[in-house]
Amino acid sequence: MTDEERTDAEADLEEELAWTVYAQVFALGYIYLLACALKRGDADLGVDPSAWENTLGAAEWAMMEHVNGRVQGPTIITVEDVERMRRLHTMGSAALAGGERPPELYQLSLQCMESLFGSDWERAAREAVRGLRDPDQ
């Protein structure tokens, strides 16, 4: 591998790793919006279903990058955390489509936010929501 190829590969890896952070931050924001709407009992959950699908899928991938040791974050993410996020993804998708809102959905969303950002998840979630509403921040 030439020096130029190595530099390009390093830049690609750096960009990919930065992307994992964005995926998790956006996911945190959407999960927080969903959790708040569930807690209030809102009819409209306030999250675009396609944004949910894309973001939660990306977050699951990013979490697996943590599990595989390719990235590090504010918490240690386990396979169980990824499975919990997959359940949230599926259950949230159904709720956003007008389907069932199981009682465990709210608690599951809290657990997933904590697995992403630790005990300070609430502050991080509020910041993430501000970023979702104003992407130029």
Side-chain angles (χ1 to χ4, degrees):
M1 183 180 277
T2 68
D3 286 340
E4 185 177 325
E5 290 172 329
R6 190 178 346 269
T7 301
D8 288 345
E10 289 171 0
D12 289 346
L13 178 61
E14 198 172 299
E15 186 176 307
E16 184 179 309
L17 298 179
W19 185 83
T20 64
V21 172
Y22 289 120
Q24 291 174 91
V25 169
F26 284 122
L28 180 67
Y30 287 128
I31 295 166
Y32 186 70
L33 288 172
L34 178 79
C36 290
L38 288 168
K39 185 176 182 179
R40 290 187 307 262
D42 294 354
D44 178 8
L45 295 175
V47 178
D48 178 85
S50 61
W52 176 267
E53 286 300 319
N54 293 334
T55 304
L56 272 284
E60 289 168 23
W61 175 82
M63 291 172 77
M64 281 306 300
E65 293 296 288
H66 281 268
V67 170
N68 293 328
R70 289 199 44 185
V71 287
Q72 296 178 13
T75 64
I76 295 173
I77 295 180
T78 65
V79 172
E80 292 79 21
D81 295 323
V82 177
E83 289 303 316
R84 195 172 14 260
M85 184 65 77
R86 286 183 180 141
R87 279 195 345 264
L88 175 65
H89 184 174
T90 301
M91 292 169 66
S93 294
L96 290 168
E100 182 182 3
R101 297 180 183 188
E104 74 176 283
L105 182 55
Y106 175 74
Q107 191 60 40
L108 184 59
S109 58
L110 299 181
Q111 292 169 345
C112 287
M113 288 188 287
E114 186 168 5
S115 72
L116 288 172
F117 285 87
S119 61
D120 198 24
W121 65 263
E122 196 164 7
R123 180 194 57 76
R126 285 192 299 270
E127 289 176 16
V129 168
R130 278 195 293 277
L132 290 173
R133 292 185 176 144
D134 185 11
D136 294 327
Q137 277 189 340

